[in-house]
Amino acid sequence: MKKLFHASFAYAIAGVLSGLYYRELTKLNGFTGDSQLGLVHTHWLVLGFIVLLLVLALEKVFAISAAAPKLLAWFFWIWNAGVVVTGGMMLVKGTLVVAGLDAGSKALAGIAGTGHMLLTAGLVLLFLALRKALTAAPLEVPPLPVAAKA
C-alpha cells in the first residue's frame, strides 16, 4: 500500500510541475497555439495521482494484495510504465511543438502508442485482481449500531 501512496504523491508533484513547465515554456517562447504539452498536467494528475489513490482505497477496502498479490504487482508496474511513457511522450512532442520543431515523427507516435497499450494492459490487470479479491471472500458488513434503551 505504501508503494501506491508514494507513487500517487510523486505523480501529484509531477503533474503540478508539468503545469508550471507548460506555462513558463509557452510564455518564454511566446507560443499561443495548441500542443500536447498542456495535457501532460491533467494526464499525470488523473492517471497517476487520482487513479492510484482510487486503487489505494480499493486495496484498503477489498485487500486486493492479499487475494491477488501478483496481479496487483503487475498492475502497479505496467500502469506506472504506461503513465510515464504516455506522459513523457506528450511532454516531448509538446515541447517540440512549442519550440517550433517537427513533432510528427512516426517513432514518437509509436512510443506514445506503446504507452497507451501499457495503460490498457494495466486496466485489464487491475480488473482481474479486483475480481479475484471480490470473489475470494465475502465482504463483511458490520452490523448497524443498536440504540440504547432509556
Side-chain angles (χ1 to χ4, degrees):
M1 284 200 342
K2 284 185 181 180
K3 275 196 267 185
L4 289 168
F5 173 78
H6 291 295
S8 178
F9 183 66
Y11 285 118
I13 292 170
V16 170
L17 290 177
S18 66
L20 176 67
Y21 175 74
Y22 164 70
R23 186 188 74 201
E24 294 302 318
L25 187 68
T26 54
K27 272 198 313 187
L28 183 68
N29 288 297
F31 183 80
T32 57
D34 291 329
S35 77
Q36 289 185 351
L37 195 56
L39 301 175
V40 178
H41 171 74
T42 52
H43 274 68
W44 277 345
L45 286 176
V46 173
L47 295 177
F49 172 56
I50 300 296
V51 167
L52 290 181
L53 274 184
L54 290 172
V55 172
L56 179 62
L58 290 170
E59 164 62 16
K60 185 71 173 167
V61 172
F62 299 112
I64 302 170
S65 61
K70 288 183 181 179
L71 284 172
L72 187 62
W74 274 101
F75 156 75
F76 180 80
W77 294 111
I78 297 292
W79 183 260
N80 281 296
V83 173
V84 169
V85 170
T86 301
M89 281 299 97
M90 292 173 76
L91 192 69
V92 168
K93 290 178 79 172
T95 300
L96 290 172
V97 168
V98 170
L101 302 171
D102 180 27
S105 165
K106 289 184 180 184
L108 293 177
I111 296 169
T114 301
H116 284 82
M117 287 186 274
L118 288 167
L119 289 171
T120 302
L123 279 177
V124 170
L125 289 166
L126 176 62
F127 275 94
L128 289 173
L130 187 57
R131 181 180 69 180
K132 193 167 186 179
L134 290 173
T135 58
L139 183 62
E140 293 182 25
V141 179
L144 294 173
V146 179
K149 293 182 180 179

PDB file of all heavy atoms in Angstrom, residues 92-133:
ATOM      1  N   VAL A  92       7.484  15.426 -24.566  1.00  0.00           N
ATOM      2  CA  VAL A  92       8.462  15.587 -25.650  1.00  0.00           C
ATOM      3  C   VAL A  92       7.809  16.226 -26.871  1.00  0.00           C
ATOM      4  O   VAL A  92       8.321  17.215 -27.416  1.00  0.00           O
ATOM      5  CB  VAL A  92       9.098  14.219 -26.014  1.00  0.00           C
ATOM      6  CG1 VAL A  92       9.890  14.306 -27.307  1.00  0.00           C
ATOM      7  CG2 VAL A  92       9.982  13.724 -24.881  1.00  0.00           C
ATOM      8  N   LYS A  93       6.684  15.659 -27.315  1.00  0.00           N
ATOM      9  CA  LYS A  93       6.035  16.185 -28.516  1.00  0.00           C
ATOM     10  C   LYS A  93       5.543  17.621 -28.306  1.00  0.00           C
ATOM     11  O   LYS A  93       5.670  18.463 -29.187  1.00  0.00           O
ATOM     12  CB  LYS A  93       4.883  15.280 -28.934  1.00  0.00           C
ATOM     13  CG  LYS A  93       5.352  13.939 -29.485  1.00  0.00           C
ATOM     14  CD  LYS A  93       4.199  13.041 -29.857  1.00  0.00           C
ATOM     15  CE  LYS A  93       3.643  13.465 -31.176  1.00  0.00           C
ATOM     16  NZ  LYS A  93       2.630  12.537 -31.712  1.00  0.00           N
ATOM     17  N   GLY A  94       4.988  17.895 -27.132  1.00  0.00           N
ATOM     18  CA  GLY A  94       4.527  19.248 -26.844  1.00  0.00           C
ATOM     19  C   GLY A  94       5.658  20.253 -26.808  1.00  0.00           C
ATOM     20  O   GLY A  94       5.529  21.378 -27.307  1.00  0.00           O
ATOM     21  N   THR A  95       6.782  19.851 -26.223  1.00  0.00           N
ATOM     22  CA  THR A  95       7.948  20.735 -26.175  1.00  0.00           C
ATOM     23  C   THR A  95       8.458  21.019 -27.580  1.00  0.00           C
ATOM     24  O   THR A  95       8.822  22.162 -27.897  1.00  0.00           O
ATOM     25  CB  THR A  95       9.065  20.115 -25.307  1.00  0.00           C
ATOM     26  OG1 THR A  95       8.565  19.919 -23.978  1.00  0.00           O
ATOM     27  CG2 THR A  95      10.292  21.003 -25.248  1.00  0.00           C
ATOM     28  N   LEU A  96       8.476  20.001 -28.438  1.00  0.00           N
ATOM     29  CA  LEU A  96       8.911  20.205 -29.827  1.00  0.00           C
ATOM     30  C   LEU A  96       7.995  21.187 -30.552  1.00  0.00           C
ATOM     31  O   LEU A  96       8.468  22.067 -31.278  1.00  0.00           O
ATOM     32  CB  LEU A  96       8.952  18.866 -30.568  1.00  0.00           C
ATOM     33  CG  LEU A  96      10.048  17.889 -30.156  1.00  0.00           C
ATOM     34  CD1 LEU A  96       9.848  16.541 -30.838  1.00  0.00           C
ATOM     35  CD2 LEU A  96      11.418  18.449 -30.451  1.00  0.00           C
ATOM     36  N   VAL A  97       6.703  21.063 -30.346  1.00  0.00           N
ATOM     37  CA  VAL A  97       5.741  21.969 -30.998  1.00  0.00           C
ATOM     38  C   VAL A  97       5.951  23.396 -30.510  1.00  0.00           C
ATOM     39  O   VAL A  97       5.990  24.338 -31.308  1.00  0.00           O
ATOM     40  CB  VAL A  97       4.281  21.501 -30.757  1.00  0.00           C
ATOM     41  CG1 VAL A  97       3.285  22.574 -31.157  1.00  0.00           C
ATOM     42  CG2 VAL A  97       4.018  20.204 -31.497  1.00  0.00           C
ATOM     43  N   VAL A  98       6.089  23.566 -29.197  1.00  0.00           N
ATOM     44  CA  VAL A  98       6.282  24.915 -28.642  1.00  0.00           C
ATOM     45  C   VAL A  98       7.587  25.513 -29.152  1.00  0.00           C
ATOM     46  O   VAL A  98       7.666  26.716 -29.427  1.00  0.00           O
ATOM     47  CB  VAL A  98       6.245  24.887 -27.098  1.00  0.00           C
ATOM     48  CG1 VAL A  98       6.680  26.214 -26.507  1.00  0.00           C
ATOM     49  CG2 VAL A  98       4.846  24.526 -26.611  1.00  0.00           C
ATOM     50  N   ALA A  99       8.606  24.680 -29.324  1.00  0.00           N
ATOM     51  CA  ALA A  99       9.908  25.165 -29.816  1.00  0.00           C
ATOM     52  C   ALA A  99       9.912  25.371 -31.324  1.00  0.00           C
ATOM     53  O   ALA A  99      10.896  25.851 -31.881  1.00  0.00           O
ATOM     54  CB  ALA A  99      11.000  24.182 -29.425  1.00  0.00           C
ATOM     55  N   GLY A 100       8.821  25.011 -31.995  1.00  0.00           N
ATOM     56  CA  GLY A 100       8.732  25.211 -33.438  1.00  0.00           C
ATOM     57  C   GLY A 100       9.423  24.119 -34.245  1.00  0.00           C
ATOM     58  O   GLY A 100       9.742  24.320 -35.407  1.00  0.00           O
ATOM     59  N   LEU A 101       9.642  22.976 -33.648  1.00  0.00           N
ATOM     60  CA  LEU A 101      10.309  21.865 -34.329  1.00  0.00           C
ATOM     61  C   LEU A 101       9.278  20.830 -34.775  1.00  0.00           C
ATOM     62  O   LEU A 101       8.126  20.849 -34.352  1.00  0.00           O
ATOM     63  CB  LEU A 101      11.345  21.235 -33.398  1.00  0.00           C
ATOM     64  CG  LEU A 101      12.425  22.200 -32.883  1.00  0.00           C
ATOM     65  CD1 LEU A 101      13.271  21.537 -31.812  1.00  0.00           C
ATOM     66  CD2 LEU A 101      13.308  22.675 -34.042  1.00  0.00           C
ATOM     67  N   ASP A 102       9.715  19.886 -35.608  1.00  0.00           N
ATOM     68  CA  ASP A 102       8.824  18.853 -36.129  1.00  0.00           C
ATOM     69  C   ASP A 102       8.548  17.808 -35.056  1.00  0.00           C
ATOM     70  O   ASP A 102       9.459  17.174 -34.545  1.00  0.00           O
ATOM     71  CB  ASP A 102       9.461  18.189 -37.354  1.00  0.00           C
ATOM     72  CG  ASP A 102       8.587  17.109 -37.952  1.00  0.00           C
ATOM     73  OD1 ASP A 102       7.350  17.191 -37.804  1.00  0.00           O
ATOM     74  OD2 ASP A 102       9.143  16.174 -38.564  1.00  0.00           O
ATOM     75  N   ALA A 103       7.283  17.626 -34.734  1.00  0.00           N
ATOM     76  CA  ALA A 103       6.878  16.628 -33.738  1.00  0.00           C
ATOM     77  C   ALA A 103       6.105  15.490 -34.374  1.00  0.00           C
ATOM     78  O   ALA A 103       5.488  14.699 -33.680  1.00  0.00           O
ATOM     79  CB  ALA A 103       6.023  17.303 -32.656  1.00  0.00           C
ATOM     80  N   GLY A 104       6.167  15.367 -35.695  1.00  0.00           N
ATOM     81  CA  GLY A 104       5.383  14.377 -36.415  1.00  0.00           C
ATOM     82  C   GLY A 104       6.105  13.065 -36.661  1.00  0.00           C
ATOM     83  O   GLY A 104       5.726  12.311 -37.531  1.00  0.00           O
ATOM     84  N   SER A 105       7.125  12.781 -35.893  1.00  0.00           N
ATOM     85  CA  SER A 105       7.898  11.554 -36.073  1.00  0.00           C
ATOM     86  C   SER A 105       7.046  10.316 -35.811  1.00  0.00           C
ATOM     87  O   SER A 105       6.319  10.240 -34.823  1.00  0.00           O
ATOM     88  CB  SER A 105       9.098  11.566 -35.123  1.00  0.00           C
ATOM     89  OG  SER A 105       9.669  10.283 -35.021  1.00  0.00           O
ATOM     90  N   LYS A 106       7.171   9.325 -36.699  1.00  0.00           N
ATOM     91  CA  LYS A 106       6.445   8.064 -36.500  1.00  0.00           C
ATOM     92  C   LYS A 106       6.999   7.308 -35.297  1.00  0.00           C
ATOM     93  O   LYS A 106       6.271   6.566 -34.647  1.00  0.00           O
ATOM     94  CB  LYS A 106       6.511   7.216 -37.767  1.00  0.00           C
ATOM     95  CG  LYS A 106       5.681   7.779 -38.892  1.00  0.00           C
ATOM     96  CD  LYS A 106       5.680   6.888 -40.103  1.00  0.00           C
ATOM     97  CE  LYS A 106       4.826   7.526 -41.186  1.00  0.00           C
ATOM     98  NZ  LYS A 106       4.697   6.679 -42.356  1.00  0.00           N
ATOM     99  N   ALA A 107       8.262   7.502 -34.996  1.00  0.00           N
ATOM    100  CA  ALA A 107       8.853   6.846 -33.827  1.00  0.00           C
ATOM    101  C   ALA A 107       8.211   7.369 -32.545  1.00  0.00           C
ATOM    102  O   ALA A 107       7.885   6.588 -31.643  1.00  0.00           O
ATOM    103  CB  ALA A 107      10.367   7.072 -33.791  1.00  0.00           C
ATOM    104  N   LEU A 108       8.029   8.683 -32.463  1.00  0.00           N
ATOM    105  CA  LEU A 108       7.381   9.262 -31.282  1.00  0.00           C
ATOM    106  C   LEU A 108       5.944   8.779 -31.159  1.00  0.00           C
ATOM    107  O   LEU A 108       5.478   8.466 -30.061  1.00  0.00           O
ATOM    108  CB  LEU A 108       7.422  10.792 -31.340  1.00  0.00           C
ATOM    109  CG  LEU A 108       8.792  11.454 -31.220  1.00  0.00           C
ATOM    110  CD1 LEU A 108       8.656  12.970 -31.364  1.00  0.00           C
ATOM    111  CD2 LEU A 108       9.464  11.098 -29.923  1.00  0.00           C
ATOM    112  N   ALA A 109       5.250   8.697 -32.281  1.00  0.00           N
ATOM    113  CA  ALA A 109       3.865   8.210 -32.264  1.00  0.00           C
ATOM    114  C   ALA A 109       3.826   6.745 -31.825  1.00  0.00           C
ATOM    115  O   ALA A 109       2.940   6.334 -31.070  1.00  0.00           O
ATOM    116  CB  ALA A 109       3.229   8.372 -33.640  1.00  0.00           C
ATOM    117  N   GLY A 110       4.786   5.958 -32.269  1.00  0.00           N
ATOM    118  CA  GLY A 110       4.838   4.551 -31.875  1.00  0.00           C
ATOM    119  C   GLY A 110       5.104   4.377 -30.399  1.00  0.00           C
ATOM    120  O   GLY A 110       4.503   3.518 -29.741  1.00  0.00           O
ATOM    121  N   ILE A 111       5.991   5.196 -29.858  1.00  0.00           N
ATOM    122  CA  ILE A 111       6.293   5.118 -28.422  1.00  0.00           C
ATOM    123  C   ILE A 111       5.065   5.548 -27.614  1.00  0.00           C
ATOM    124  O   ILE A 111       4.715   4.917 -26.612  1.00  0.00           O
ATOM    125  CB  ILE A 111       7.526   5.964 -28.063  1.00  0.00           C
ATOM    126  CG1 ILE A 111       8.771   5.403 -28.762  1.00  0.00           C
ATOM    127  CG2 ILE A 111       7.741   6.011 -26.557  1.00  0.00           C
ATOM    128  CD1 ILE A 111       9.987   6.305 -28.702  1.00  0.00           C
ATOM    129  N   ALA A 112       4.395   6.608 -28.062  1.00  0.00           N
ATOM    130  CA  ALA A 112       3.176   7.056 -27.380  1.00  0.00           C
ATOM    131  C   ALA A 112       2.106   5.970 -27.445  1.00  0.00           C
ATOM    132  O   ALA A 112       1.394   5.727 -26.459  1.00  0.00           O
ATOM    133  CB  ALA A 112       2.665   8.353 -28.016  1.00  0.00           C
ATOM    134  N   GLY A 113       1.993   5.297 -28.568  1.00  0.00           N
ATOM    135  CA  GLY A 113       1.039   4.197 -28.695  1.00  0.00           C
ATOM    136  C   GLY A 113       1.373   3.054 -27.751  1.00  0.00           C
ATOM    137  O   GLY A 113       0.471   2.426 -27.178  1.00  0.00           O
ATOM    138  N   THR A 114       2.653   2.792 -27.558  1.00  0.00           N
ATOM    139  CA  THR A 114       3.074   1.762 -26.606  1.00  0.00           C
ATOM    140  C   THR A 114       2.639   2.138 -25.195  1.00  0.00           C
ATOM    141  O   THR A 114       2.191   1.284 -24.428  1.00  0.00           O
ATOM    142  CB  THR A 114       4.607   1.573 -26.666  1.00  0.00           C
ATOM    143  OG1 THR A 114       4.976   1.196 -27.996  1.00  0.00           O
ATOM    144  CG2 THR A 114       5.078   0.521 -25.680  1.00  0.00           C
ATOM    145  N   GLY A 115       2.752   3.414 -24.864  1.00  0.00           N
ATOM    146  CA  GLY A 115       2.291   3.881 -23.555  1.00  0.00           C
ATOM    147  C   GLY A 115       0.809   3.625 -23.367  1.00  0.00           C
ATOM    148  O   GLY A 115       0.373   3.177 -22.294  1.00  0.00           O
ATOM    149  N   HIS A 116       0.017   3.867 -24.395  1.00  0.00           N
ATOM    150  CA  HIS A 116      -1.420   3.623 -24.310  1.00  0.00           C
ATOM    151  C   HIS A 116      -1.731   2.128 -24.206  1.00  0.00           C
ATOM    152  O   HIS A 116      -2.664   1.728 -23.498  1.00  0.00           O
ATOM    153  CB  HIS A 116      -2.137   4.246 -25.509  1.00  0.00           C
ATOM    154  CG  HIS A 116      -2.259   5.729 -25.404  1.00  0.00           C
ATOM    155  ND1 HIS A 116      -1.245   6.584 -25.755  1.00  0.00           N
ATOM    156  CD2 HIS A 116      -3.272   6.506 -24.972  1.00  0.00           C
ATOM    157  CE1 HIS A 116      -1.640   7.824 -25.539  1.00  0.00           C
ATOM    158  NE2 HIS A 116      -2.858   7.808 -25.055  1.00  0.00           N
ATOM    159  N   MET A 117      -0.958   1.308 -24.887  1.00  0.00           N
ATOM    160  CA  MET A 117      -1.151  -0.144 -24.770  1.00  0.00           C
ATOM    161  C   MET A 117      -0.818  -0.624 -23.352  1.00  0.00           C
ATOM    162  O   MET A 117      -1.502  -1.499 -22.811  1.00  0.00           O
ATOM    163  CB  MET A 117      -0.301  -0.883 -25.799  1.00  0.00           C
ATOM    164  CG  MET A 117      -0.835  -0.759 -27.211  1.00  0.00           C
ATOM    165  SD  MET A 117       0.065  -1.776 -28.388  1.00  0.00           S
ATOM    166  CE  MET A 117       1.418  -0.699 -28.816  1.00  0.00           C
ATOM    167  N   LEU A 118       0.215  -0.052 -22.758  1.00  0.00           N
ATOM    168  CA  LEU A 118       0.556  -0.400 -21.378  1.00  0.00           C
ATOM    169  C   LEU A 118      -0.573   0.001 -20.422  1.00  0.00           C
ATOM    170  O   LEU A 118      -0.901  -0.744 -19.493  1.00  0.00           O
ATOM    171  CB  LEU A 118       1.868   0.264 -20.968  1.00  0.00           C
ATOM    172  CG  LEU A 118       3.137  -0.305 -21.598  1.00  0.00           C
ATOM    173  CD1 LEU A 118       4.319   0.634 -21.354  1.00  0.00           C
ATOM    174  CD2 LEU A 118       3.427  -1.695 -21.060  1.00  0.00           C
ATOM    175  N   LEU A 119      -1.164   1.171 -20.644  1.00  0.00           N
ATOM    176  CA  LEU A 119      -2.291   1.599 -19.810  1.00  0.00           C
ATOM    177  C   LEU A 119      -3.469   0.635 -19.945  1.00  0.00           C
ATOM    178  O   LEU A 119      -4.105   0.283 -18.946  1.00  0.00           O
ATOM    179  CB  LEU A 119      -2.729   3.021 -20.194  1.00  0.00           C
ATOM    180  CG  LEU A 119      -1.774   4.144 -19.817  1.00  0.00           C
ATOM    181  CD1 LEU A 119      -2.227   5.459 -20.437  1.00  0.00           C
ATOM    182  CD2 LEU A 119      -1.647   4.271 -18.313  1.00  0.00           C
ATOM    183  N   THR A 120      -3.731   0.192 -21.160  1.00  0.00           N
ATOM    184  CA  THR A 120      -4.821  -0.763 -21.378  1.00  0.00           C
ATOM    185  C   THR A 120      -4.537  -2.078 -20.658  1.00  0.00           C
ATOM    186  O   THR A 120      -5.415  -2.637 -19.987  1.00  0.00           O
ATOM    187  CB  THR A 120      -5.023  -1.002 -22.887  1.00  0.00           C
ATOM    188  OG1 THR A 120      -5.305   0.250 -23.514  1.00  0.00           O
ATOM    189  CG2 THR A 120      -6.157  -1.977 -23.146  1.00  0.00           C
ATOM    190  N   ALA A 121      -3.308  -2.568 -20.784  1.00  0.00           N
ATOM    191  CA  ALA A 121      -2.927  -3.806 -20.095  1.00  0.00           C
ATOM    192  C   ALA A 121      -3.039  -3.632 -18.584  1.00  0.00           C
ATOM    193  O   ALA A 121      -3.491  -4.540 -17.869  1.00  0.00           O
ATOM    194  CB  ALA A 121      -1.512  -4.207 -20.484  1.00  0.00           C
ATOM    195  N   GLY A 122      -2.653  -2.468 -18.094  1.00  0.00           N
ATOM    196  CA  GLY A 122      -2.758  -2.191 -16.664  1.00  0.00           C
ATOM    197  C   GLY A 122      -4.201  -2.228 -16.188  1.00  0.00           C
ATOM    198  O   GLY A 122      -4.502  -2.778 -15.121  1.00  0.00           O
ATOM    199  N   LEU A 123      -5.112  -1.655 -16.961  1.00  0.00           N
ATOM    200  CA  LEU A 123      -6.534  -1.692 -16.594  1.00  0.00           C
ATOM    201  C   LEU A 123      -7.061  -3.122 -16.537  1.00  0.00           C
ATOM    202  O   LEU A 123      -7.802  -3.486 -15.622  1.00  0.00           O
ATOM    203  CB  LEU A 123      -7.365  -0.875 -17.584  1.00  0.00           C
ATOM    204  CG  LEU A 123      -7.393   0.625 -17.375  1.00  0.00           C
ATOM    205  CD1 LEU A 123      -8.196   1.300 -18.484  1.00  0.00           C
ATOM    206  CD2 LEU A 123      -7.962   0.981 -16.021  1.00  0.00           C
ATOM    207  N   VAL A 124      -6.678  -3.932 -17.509  1.00  0.00           N
ATOM    208  CA  VAL A 124      -7.102  -5.331 -17.520  1.00  0.00           C
ATOM    209  C   VAL A 124      -6.585  -6.037 -16.271  1.00  0.00           C
ATOM    210  O   VAL A 124      -7.329  -6.755 -15.592  1.00  0.00           O
ATOM    211  CB  VAL A 124      -6.624  -6.038 -18.808  1.00  0.00           C
ATOM    212  CG1 VAL A 124      -6.829  -7.543 -18.726  1.00  0.00           C
ATOM    213  CG2 VAL A 124      -7.340  -5.467 -20.038  1.00  0.00           C
ATOM    214  N   LEU A 125      -5.317  -5.829 -15.935  1.00  0.00           N
ATOM    215  CA  LEU A 125      -4.737  -6.452 -14.741  1.00  0.00           C
ATOM    216  C   LEU A 125      -5.440  -5.996 -13.471  1.00  0.00           C
ATOM    217  O   LEU A 125      -5.688  -6.798 -12.566  1.00  0.00           O
ATOM    218  CB  LEU A 125      -3.235  -6.138 -14.660  1.00  0.00           C
ATOM    219  CG  LEU A 125      -2.368  -6.847 -15.691  1.00  0.00           C
ATOM    220  CD1 LEU A 125      -0.985  -6.214 -15.757  1.00  0.00           C
ATOM    221  CD2 LEU A 125      -2.272  -8.333 -15.382  1.00  0.00           C
ATOM    222  N   LEU A 126      -5.772  -4.711 -13.404  1.00  0.00           N
ATOM    223  CA  LEU A 126      -6.476  -4.196 -12.230  1.00  0.00           C
ATOM    224  C   LEU A 126      -7.836  -4.875 -12.076  1.00  0.00           C
ATOM    225  O   LEU A 126      -8.203  -5.295 -10.974  1.00  0.00           O
ATOM    226  CB  LEU A 126      -6.647  -2.677 -12.318  1.00  0.00           C
ATOM    227  CG  LEU A 126      -7.465  -2.037 -11.195  1.00  0.00           C
ATOM    228  CD1 LEU A 126      -6.793  -2.247  -9.839  1.00  0.00           C
ATOM    229  CD2 LEU A 126      -7.680  -0.563 -11.467  1.00  0.00           C
ATOM    230  N   PHE A 127      -8.581  -4.989 -13.161  1.00  0.00           N
ATOM    231  CA  PHE A 127      -9.897  -5.614 -13.069  1.00  0.00           C
ATOM    232  C   PHE A 127      -9.802  -7.103 -12.746  1.00  0.00           C
ATOM    233  O   PHE A 127     -10.637  -7.638 -12.018  1.00  0.00           O
ATOM    234  CB  PHE A 127     -10.719  -5.362 -14.332  1.00  0.00           C
ATOM    235  CG  PHE A 127     -11.434  -4.041 -14.285  1.00  0.00           C
ATOM    236  CD1 PHE A 127     -10.869  -2.912 -14.850  1.00  0.00           C
ATOM    237  CD2 PHE A 127     -12.653  -3.926 -13.650  1.00  0.00           C
ATOM    238  CE1 PHE A 127     -11.516  -1.687 -14.784  1.00  0.00           C
ATOM    239  CE2 PHE A 127     -13.309  -2.701 -13.580  1.00  0.00           C
ATOM    240  CZ  PHE A 127     -12.736  -1.585 -14.149  1.00  0.00           C
ATOM    241  N   LEU A 128      -8.792  -7.779 -13.264  1.00  0.00           N
ATOM    242  CA  LEU A 128      -8.595  -9.188 -12.917  1.00  0.00           C
ATOM    243  C   LEU A 128      -8.284  -9.337 -11.425  1.00  0.00           C
ATOM    244  O   LEU A 128      -8.823 -10.220 -10.750  1.00  0.00           O
ATOM    245  CB  LEU A 128      -7.479  -9.800 -13.761  1.00  0.00           C
ATOM    246  CG  LEU A 128      -7.794 -10.010 -15.246  1.00  0.00           C
ATOM    247  CD1 LEU A 128      -6.539 -10.451 -15.988  1.00  0.00           C
ATOM    248  CD2 LEU A 128      -8.922 -11.006 -15.428  1.00  0.00           C
ATOM    249  N   ALA A 129      -7.412  -8.466 -10.916  1.00  0.00           N
ATOM    250  CA  ALA A 129      -7.061  -8.511  -9.492  1.00  0.00           C
ATOM    251  C   ALA A 129      -8.261  -8.171  -8.622  1.00  0.00           C
ATOM    252  O   ALA A 129      -8.509  -8.823  -7.601  1.00  0.00           O
ATOM    253  CB  ALA A 129      -5.900  -7.554  -9.205  1.00  0.00           C
ATOM    254  N   LEU A 130      -9.014  -7.166  -9.024  1.00  0.00           N
ATOM    255  CA  LEU A 130     -10.193  -6.765  -8.256  1.00  0.00           C
ATOM    256  C   LEU A 130     -11.248  -7.872  -8.259  1.00  0.00           C
ATOM    257  O   LEU A 130     -11.853  -8.163  -7.220  1.00  0.00           O
ATOM    258  CB  LEU A 130     -10.763  -5.467  -8.822  1.00  0.00           C
ATOM    259  CG  LEU A 130     -11.898  -4.813  -8.046  1.00  0.00           C
ATOM    260  CD1 LEU A 130     -11.501  -4.527  -6.610  1.00  0.00           C
ATOM    261  CD2 LEU A 130     -12.318  -3.529  -8.738  1.00  0.00           C
ATOM    262  N   ARG A 131     -11.456  -8.504  -9.405  1.00  0.00           N
ATOM    263  CA  ARG A 131     -12.418  -9.612  -9.472  1.00  0.00           C
ATOM    264  C   ARG A 131     -11.998 -10.752  -8.544  1.00  0.00           C
ATOM    265  O   ARG A 131     -12.822 -11.315  -7.819  1.00  0.00           O
ATOM    266  CB  ARG A 131     -12.544 -10.125 -10.900  1.00  0.00           C
ATOM    267  CG  ARG A 131     -13.553 -11.276 -11.009  1.00  0.00           C
ATOM    268  CD  ARG A 131     -13.694 -11.787 -12.398  1.00  0.00           C
ATOM    269  NE  ARG A 131     -12.457 -12.461 -12.771  1.00  0.00           N
ATOM    270  CZ  ARG A 131     -12.253 -13.030 -13.951  1.00  0.00           C
ATOM    271  NH1 ARG A 131     -13.183 -12.971 -14.873  1.00  0.00           N
ATOM    272  NH2 ARG A 131     -11.127 -13.625 -14.223  1.00  0.00           N
ATOM    273  N   LYS A 132     -10.703 -11.039  -8.530  1.00  0.00           N
ATOM    274  CA  LYS A 132     -10.210 -12.110  -7.660  1.00  0.00           C
ATOM    275  C   LYS A 132     -10.414 -11.751  -6.191  1.00  0.00           C
ATOM    276  O   LYS A 132     -10.791 -12.596  -5.376  1.00  0.00           O
ATOM    277  CB  LYS A 132      -8.741 -12.386  -7.946  1.00  0.00           C
ATOM    278  CG  LYS A 132      -8.227 -13.658  -7.350  1.00  0.00           C
ATOM    279  CD  LYS A 132      -6.885 -14.025  -7.923  1.00  0.00           C
ATOM    280  CE  LYS A 132      -6.476 -15.381  -7.407  1.00  0.00           C
ATOM    281  NZ  LYS A 132      -5.177 -15.791  -7.954  1.00  0.00           N
ATOM    282  N   ALA A 133     -10.188 -10.493  -5.851  1.00  0.00           N
ATOM    283  CA  ALA A 133     -10.380 -10.046  -4.466  1.00  0.00           C
ATOM    284  C   ALA A 133     -11.854 -10.080  -4.075  1.00  0.00           C
ATOM    285  O   ALA A 133     -12.194 -10.435  -2.941  1.00  0.00           O
ATOM    286  CB  ALA A 133      -9.812  -8.647  -4.278  1.00  0.00           C
TER     287      ALA A 133
END
